[in-house]
Amino acid sequence: MAVKLVFLGRLADLAGTHECDVADTDGVIDWTDLLAWLEVWSSADLAAAVAGEKVRIAVNGALLADKAALAAGDGDEVAFLPPVSGG
Amino acid sequence: MAVKLVFLGRLADLAGTHECDVADTDGVIDWTDLLAWLEVWSSADLAAAVAGEKVRIAVNGALLADKAALAAGDGDEVAFLPPVSGG
Amino acid sequence: MRDVRLLAVAFDPGAEIDAFSAAHAEAGGVAAFAGKVRPTDGCEALELSHYEPLSLPGMAGLADQALTRFDLLGILLVHRVGVLLPGEPIVLAAAAARHRRSAIEAVDFAMDHLKSDAWFWKREKRADGWHWIEPRSEDHRDLARWN
Amino acid sequence: MRDVRLLAVAFDPGAEIDAFSAAHAEAGGVAAFAGKVRPTDGCEALELSHYEPLSLPGMAGLADQALTRFDLLGILLVHRVGVLLPGEPIVLAAAAARHRRSAIEAVDFAMDHLKSDAWFWKREKRADGWHWIEPRSEDHRDLARWN
């Protein structure tokens, strides 16, 4: 089982992919776990970008008011949403 | 030769026609002549309606700022324009 | 580019909008409003009469005003005259612009003027005959927004 | 009536407007805005990506807000995703109402929100490759008009 990560906009460029799975998770992934995982899997740049205050996070399509409250378990989808483009 | 009169909107109902010619005119028709002619040709009601302050007059497609300044000669077209309809 | 037409026969607003949009490839967008005869209130037909020496120059002048006032690449004004049945399009105003706000505002402006400041008289056929449509105070308020 | 669609293939705004207008026979008019990819500034293609769990519910919620806020009979929101070529329609917002001002204002409202408050990311292909399009301060000012 796994947590699915989805990268939107320029975060997909930074991650080098639109999505990936965090496999072999044991229980719930919290915000600290996630940043640590991103840094190892990809780069400190991606972890820093995702932590940026303009990047929103959605879990299973529901936006988090507070990213630090993240708690994702097996089968959950976590999306990283940078600011949307203008018209 | 003649002056052509054109009645728009409900003035056409009152006149009983969309247009008519004032024939056998001798020189220029002024505002007083016109009202007198309309009263004889049609009715006092039509003359009063045309004299109403909301009715505009155009001579050969040019709106008159002051109806009393009317001066129409042979070949001219005088249009009587009641308030236009709303949307 | 200015395209102003008085039509005595039915027209298709969608096809006009597509053709207008294609004619302004460089525009970022096209705003439009299409008004039609409402099949309500027992209206069986609507007759639009006009005085062409004023109506067509009036529409052309309105188009020029909109081109001057808003940042447009083009404007299209189409107005029906004659007898119309419920559901038939009466009027179409469309504006092409680099930015959407200019296009939307130009259509709003053009419609307010076409509806109450253009040389058209309307009467409606109901079960008991024809009835002239009077000016509406709402239209005059709409028009005053642009002064 | 609410009609909200995300499309992966090209669409025809005029045909959509006609069909929408026909579906709202009782409306006095239909206002619309169609935005397209501008063939300027060396743009060779535009890619629109989205996150469907947010983009489609977001558009549906926007349509509902417009229906609540304005006196509408119906609203249509169509948005493309995928790679678009210059000249292709990106977005269409249309509103049907008894009175034109409600329809025009609803389209203005919907476009301001679709342009800067919807879950779409855009990048442009130019001669030197793909470039992400950033938020524009102008869009945020437009959006603030509705608060």
Side-chain angles (χ1 to χ4, degrees):
Chain A
M1 298 291 284
V3 171
K4 182 178 175 184
L5 306 185
V6 180
F7 303 95
L8 279 305
R10 62 167 76 247
L11 293 176
D13 288 354
L14 211 48
T17 182
H18 285 283
E19 48 187 71
C20 71
D21 283 347
V22 181
D24 302 321
T25 56
D26 179 21
V28 166
I29 295 183
D30 69 12
W31 180 234
T32 309
D33 299 335
L34 182 73
L35 290 181
W37 190 90
L38 287 173
E39 194 166 335
V40 172
W41 170 75
S42 174
S43 65
D45 280 357
L46 179 63
V50 158
E53 66 172 325
K54 289 191 172 172
V55 172
R56 305 289 305 272
I57 291 183
V59 177
N60 301 326
L63 289 166
L64 296 184
D66 175 13
K67 291 192 279 198
L70 174 79
D74 275 354
D76 284 344
E77 177 169 304
V78 178
F80 302 98
L81 313 154
V84 296
S85 301
Chain B
M1 296 293 283
V3 172
K4 182 178 174 185
L5 306 185
V6 180
F7 302 96
L8 279 304
R10 60 166 75 246
L11 294 175
D13 288 354
L14 210 48
T17 181
H18 285 284
E19 49 186 70
C20 70
D21 283 347
V22 180
D24 302 322
T25 56
D26 178 20
V28 166
I29 296 182
D30 69 12
W31 179 234
T32 309
D33 299 335
L34 182 73
L35 291 180
W37 190 90
L38 287 173
E39 193 166 334
V40 172
W41 170 75
S42 173
S43 66
D45 279 357
L46 180 62
V50 159
E53 67 171 326
K54 289 192 172 171
V55 172
R56 303 290 305 271
I57 291 184
V59 178
N60 300 328
L63 289 166
L64 296 183
D66 175 13
K67 289 192 279 197
L70 175 79
D74 276 354
D76 284 344
E77 177 169 304
V78 179
F80 302 98
L81 312 153
V84 297
S85 301
Chain C
M1 201 195 73
R2 190 184 83 180
D3 184 356
V4 171
R5 280 176 276 154
L6 280 167
L7 299 179
V9 294
F11 71 101
D12 176 344
E16 294 289 349
I17 292 168
D18 279 348
F20 177 71
S21 181
H24 295 91
E26 73 282 27
V30 167
F33 180 86
K36 56 188 176 177
V37 184
R38 269 187 283 170
T40 48
D41 307 327
C43 169
E44 297 169 4
L46 181 74
E47 186 193 47
L48 278 137
S49 51
H50 70 125
Y51 183 54
E52 189 157 347
L54 291 175
S55 55
L56 200 53
M59 284 171 67
L62 175 58
D64 287 341
Q65 270 188 66
L67 287 169
T68 303
R69 183 162 186 153
F70 305 97
D71 186 19
L72 303 184
L73 294 166
I75 186 161
L76 169 68
L77 302 178
V78 178
H79 211 293
R80 271 297 308 276
V81 293
V83 175
L84 286 78
L85 298 178
E88 276 191 67
I90 304 172
V91 60
L92 171 66
R98 285 197 178 72
H99 300 290
R100 69 181 181 281
R101 297 297 314 287
S102 305
I104 292 172
E105 285 178 5
V107 166
D108 197 14
F109 172 86
M111 285 306 308
D112 278 355
H113 287 76
L114 277 176
K115 283 289 190 169
S116 61
D117 192 27
W119 296 99
F120 296 102
W121 295 269
K122 297 174 193 165
R123 56 178 192 162
E124 248 180 22
K125 192 178 184 195
R126 302 195 205 115
D128 62 345
W130 288 97
H131 299 266
W132 289 100
I133 300 176
E134 302 296 328
R136 298 188 315 164
S137 57
E138 188 180 335
D139 290 320
H140 291 291
R141 278 199 308 276
D142 286 345
L143 200 57
R145 294 187 302 137
W146 305 102
N147 295 336
Chain D
M1 201 194 73
R2 191 184 81 181
D3 183 356
V4 172
R5 278 175 277 153
L6 281 167
L7 299 180
V9 293
F11 70 102
D12 176 345
E16 293 289 348
I17 291 168
D18 279 348
F20 178 69
S21 181
H24 294 92
E26 73 284 25
V30 167
F33 181 86
K36 56 189 176 178
V37 183
R38 269 187 283 171
T40 49
D41 307 327
C43 169
E44 297 170 5
L46 181 73
E47 185 193 48
L48 279 137
S49 53
H50 69 126
Y51 183 53
E52 189 157 347
L54 290 175
S55 55
L56 198 53
M59 284 172 67
L62 174 58
D64 287 340
Q65 271 187 67
L67 288 169
T68 302
R69 183 161 186 153
F70 305 98
D71 186 19
L72 303 183
L73 293 165
I75 186 160
L76 168 69
L77 302 178
V78 177
H79 211 293
R80 273 295 309 275
V81 293
V83 176
L84 286 78
L85 298 178
E88 276 191 67
I90 304 173
V91 60
L92 170 66
R98 286 197 178 72
H99 301 290
R100 70 183 180 280
R101 298 296 315 285
S102 305
I104 292 172
E105 286 178 4
V107 166
D108 197 15
F109 172 87
M111 284 307 307
D112 278 354
H113 286 77
L114 277 176
K115 283 288 191 169
S116 61
D117 192 30
W119 296 98
F120 296 102
W121 295 269
K122 298 175 192 164
R123 55 178 192 162
E124 247 179 24
K125 192 179 183 192
R126 303 196 205 114
D128 62 345
W130 288 97
H131 299 266
W132 289 100
I133 300 175
E134 301 297 326
R136 298 188 313 163
S137 56
E138 189 181 334
D139 291 319
H140 290 292
R141 280 199 306 277
D142 287 344
L143 199 59
R145 295 187 303 137
W146 305 101
N147 294 336

